[in-house]
């Protein structure tokens, strides 16, 4: 059964710093991995989708990498801003089922 | 122009009541999901429907029943609500093409008192 973990659970950084959020999954048989952002009391906003055959995906200041063999994905945020403060979730789409398995999230605070 | 919409956004009800949450997607997607986000913010799959057929039913009490009148709708009906059902429920959808992203609704915050 696929299990997804995220480290750290919470992170507080000053504005302008570059940072890395980590996501690990136990079963490398995945279709893809998706990173989401969740603001307090809000829904999930899709940030990046990495296909199982891809190593990297970029959108603006965000860069996500995927290493299937080691069961890891990272989300790199460049030049962080207070508006980046949110909870970041990764979800692995299970190869055998149809399910997206979520990690517990990393709560990010970017201080002005 | 909302891709995945849920109603209501907030639902406060008493224990023992029966309630429904509606979900609609206008993306032409083939698969729809219900997820539950508990007080610890962990998102867990409840149900998945593909072309109106149930394909996943995780260990969810029988009091929860998904109903899909057509491919664009997946409603969640809950009987005999309990305090522990209080959570945020998210609807999501995706295309059946292999590597496509999932889209989520804004969530329904259910509070059982």
């Amino acid at each position: 059964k696929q299990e997804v973990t995220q480290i750290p659970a919470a992170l507080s950084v000053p504005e302008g710093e570059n940072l890395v959020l980590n996501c690990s999954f136990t079963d490398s048989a995945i279709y893809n991995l998706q990173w989401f952002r969740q603001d307090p009391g809000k829904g999930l906003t899709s940030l990046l989708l990495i296909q199982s055959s891809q190593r990297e995906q970029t959108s603006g200041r965000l860069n996500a990498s995927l290493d299937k063999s080691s069961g890891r994905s990272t989300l790199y945020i460049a030049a962080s801003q207070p508006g980046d403060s949110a909870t970041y979730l990764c979800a692995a789409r299970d190869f055998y089922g149809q399910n997206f398995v979520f990690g517990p999230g990393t709560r990010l605070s970017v201080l002005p | 122009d909302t891709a995945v919409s849920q109603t209501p956004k907030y639902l406060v009800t008493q224990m023992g009541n029966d309630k429904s949450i509606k979900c609609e997607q206008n993306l032409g997607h083939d698969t729809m999901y219900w997820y539950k986000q508990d007080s610890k913010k962990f998102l867990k799959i409840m149900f998945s429907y593909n072309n109106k057929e149930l394909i996943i039913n995780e260990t969810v009490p029988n009091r929860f029943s998904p109903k899909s009148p057509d491919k664009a709708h997946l409603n969640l009906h809950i009987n005999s609500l309990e305090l522990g059902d209080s959570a945020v429920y998210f609807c999501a959808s995706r295309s059946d093409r292999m590597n496509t992203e999932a889209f989520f609704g804004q969530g329904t915050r259910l509070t059982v008192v």
Side-chain angles (χ1 to χ4, degrees):
Chain A
K1 184 181 175 184
Q2 179 76 268
E3 290 184 3
V4 179
T5 55
Q6 290 186 246
I7 294 174
L11 183 62
S12 185
V13 299
E15 183 176 4
E17 274 204 7
N18 302 326
L19 54 100
V20 175
L21 308 181
N22 297 290
C23 171
S24 297
F25 46 95
T26 55
D27 188 344
S28 61
I30 60 171
Y31 271 142
N32 55 46
L33 188 135
Q34 195 167 351
W35 282 91
F36 294 87
R37 167 187 174 139
Q38 185 175 26
D39 293 283
K42 304 288 186 183
L44 278 69
T45 301
S46 180
L47 298 173
L48 287 165
L49 173 74
I50 312 180
Q51 319 288 9
S52 59
S53 58
Q54 293 178 319
R55 300 276 298 180
E56 210 171 290
Q57 194 68 253
T58 298
S59 175
R61 293 182 295 108
L62 305 179
N63 175 277
S65 68
L66 176 65
D67 184 345
K68 259 183 41 173
S69 60
S70 66
R72 291 180 186 173
S73 176
T74 61
L75 179 66
Y76 175 83
I77 303 177
S80 58
Q81 302 170 358
D84 294 331
S85 298
T87 295
Y88 290 79
L89 297 154
C90 67
R93 182 173 161 200
D94 184 48
F95 186 85
Y96 299 107
Q98 306 284 338
N99 189 8
F100 289 87
V101 181
F102 279 83
T106 293
R107 192 172 67 254
L108 173 66
S109 296
V110 181
L111 308 174
Chain B
D1 234 41
T2 306
V4 182
S5 60
Q6 295 178 229
T7 53
K9 189 173 181 181
Y10 300 98
L11 183 55
V12 181
T13 188
Q14 290 187 327
M15 281 176 54
N17 284 350
D18 303 338
K19 290 293 177 186
S20 291
I21 306 172
K22 295 185 177 180
C23 178
E24 176 182 3
Q25 54 96 2
N26 62 4
L27 299 165
H29 285 170
D30 309 283
T31 299
M32 295 183 71
Y33 303 89
W34 277 107
Y35 280 82
K36 178 180 180 180
Q37 188 171 44
D38 58 25
S39 57
K40 295 183 180 178
K41 307 299 183 186
F42 214 158
L43 273 156
K44 291 185 180 177
I45 182 75
M46 297 177 71
F47 299 104
S48 172
Y49 256 70
N50 179 269
N51 287 320
K52 296 173 63 178
E53 291 188 20
L54 180 67
I55 55 173
I56 293 177
N57 185 350
E58 297 294 308
T59 52
V60 174
N62 291 339
R63 299 181 294 101
F64 290 79
S65 56
K67 297 195 190 314
S68 182
D70 55 59
K71 206 169 81 163
H73 296 83
L74 181 63
N75 303 324
L76 183 65
H77 190 74
I78 315 169
N79 289 328
S80 304
L81 277 155
E82 300 177 357
L83 292 176
D85 298 332
S86 296
V88 182
Y89 293 85
F90 285 97
C91 177
S93 73
R94 66 159 180 86
S95 166
D96 268 1
R97 286 182 292 138
M98 192 158 56
N99 285 312
T100 55
E101 62 187 310
F103 290 84
F104 279 73
Q106 289 301 298
T108 295
R109 182 174 295 276
L110 171 65
T111 303
V112 183
V113 298

